[in-house]
Amino acid sequence: MKDVKATLIGSKLTADQQNQLAEAARVLRGRRVETFSSAVTHVVVPDGPMPSTLTVLQGILNGCWVLTFTWLAECLQQGRRIEESEFQVAEGPRRARANRVSLLPPLFNGCFFYLLGSFHKPPRDELVQLVRAGGGQLLSRQPKADSDVTQTVTAAAYHARPDSDQALCTHYILYEPQSSSRPGPVRLGKVWSAPSSWLLDCIRAFSLLPVPEL
């Protein structure tokens, strides 16, 4: 990927760090952008725990490098592009990166999502963006767990571990845990209910995690 021009975006950086990001883009003969798109190759975040901003989550789903600011500082110090691998911020981005390099399907391949009720953290439009970026499909109607049509769908979740509950499930009813629209628990065959926080956790880990029992 070294022959691909670096397109950098920062998330949760200070004003000074953003200035250094712009300088690094010049040093690397790439460019810095302020809005995420499929052209982004590197997401740079502060050293420490990985932030869960929309930009970072989009970067993970797209298999971008998600790197600590130390990588950027090293690039500036040496005046060249430093090997990124050791500066990845967490395991989830590592898995996502390997998935992209291997040309495997996106995280939510084979999964369908219905968004029930209102959403605030994150808002509905961000959830829609994340589902689509992850290769998931959005449903306009709530799936019925007792529907033969739903239960006989042949799609399978590519990234579900074969021995997990999620290997059976393809249709998720997403809800915000604090919302008054929260449904009763649904865990029947291919149809499960899940909090929106579960979706975010899956993206951070780049894994279809077990749905928590609430």
Side-chain angles (χ1 to χ4, degrees):
M1 295 295 289
K2 286 293 175 64
D3 56 337
V4 175
K5 180 184 290 188
T7 298
L8 311 177
I9 191 169
S11 186
K12 290 291 185 180
L13 299 181
T14 65
D16 180 59
Q17 289 174 329
Q18 288 284 8
N19 289 336
Q20 292 182 68
L21 183 70
E23 176 61 24
R26 288 191 288 273
V27 169
L28 301 179
R29 296 184 179 179
R31 63 186 180 125
R32 171 202 173 199
V33 296
E34 297 189 2
T35 303
F36 189 88
S37 73
S38 59
V40 170
T41 58
H42 295 67
V43 180
V44 181
V45 300
D47 295 344
M50 181 178 70
S52 296
T53 63
L54 178 62
T55 295
V56 169
L57 297 176
Q58 289 173 317
I60 295 171
L61 289 172
N62 280 272
C64 299
W65 291 111
V66 184
L67 306 171
T68 63
F69 190 79
T70 299
W71 171 79
L72 191 98
E74 289 285 333
C75 290
L76 285 173
Q77 184 176 359
Q78 298 194 31
R80 63 183 180 88
R81 183 168 170 177
I82 302 299
E83 168 59 40
E84 292 94 344
S85 298
E86 66 180 275
F87 298 97
Q88 292 182 96
V89 72
E91 267 316 302
R94 288 179 189 275
R95 280 193 285 270
R97 182 75 193 158
N99 189 76
R100 174 174 175 168
V101 170
S102 299
L103 302 178
L104 295 176
L107 178 61
F108 298 128
N109 178 267
C111 296
F112 300 78
F113 298 92
Y114 177 77
L115 275 55
L116 178 66
S118 58
F119 295 86
H120 303 286
K121 293 183 179 180
R124 175 182 288 266
D125 67 312
E126 291 189 6
L127 286 173
V128 167
Q129 289 182 61
L130 292 171
V131 167
R132 287 175 173 162
Q137 298 188 54
L138 289 159
L139 299 172
S140 58
R141 295 183 180 179
Q142 182 172 334
K144 296 180 178 179
D146 59 356
S147 166
D148 289 341
V149 173
T150 301
Q151 295 293 357
T152 55
V153 168
T154 57
Y158 180 87
H159 285 283
R161 291 195 300 273
D163 59 345
S164 71
D165 290 329
Q166 270 38 72
L168 304 174
C169 180
T170 54
H171 289 60
Y172 290 95
I173 303 168
L174 290 183
Y175 62 90
E176 187 164 86
Q178 295 78 26
S179 172
S180 59
S181 302
R182 176 176 170 175
V186 178
R187 292 173 181 246
L188 184 60
K190 292 182 178 291
V191 182
W192 284 46
S193 59
S196 53
S197 55
W198 168 81
L199 185 86
L200 304 183
D201 290 341
C202 289
I203 297 171
R204 282 189 286 265
F206 200 79
S207 176
L208 285 183
L209 302 171
V211 175
E213 293 191 26
L214 300 177

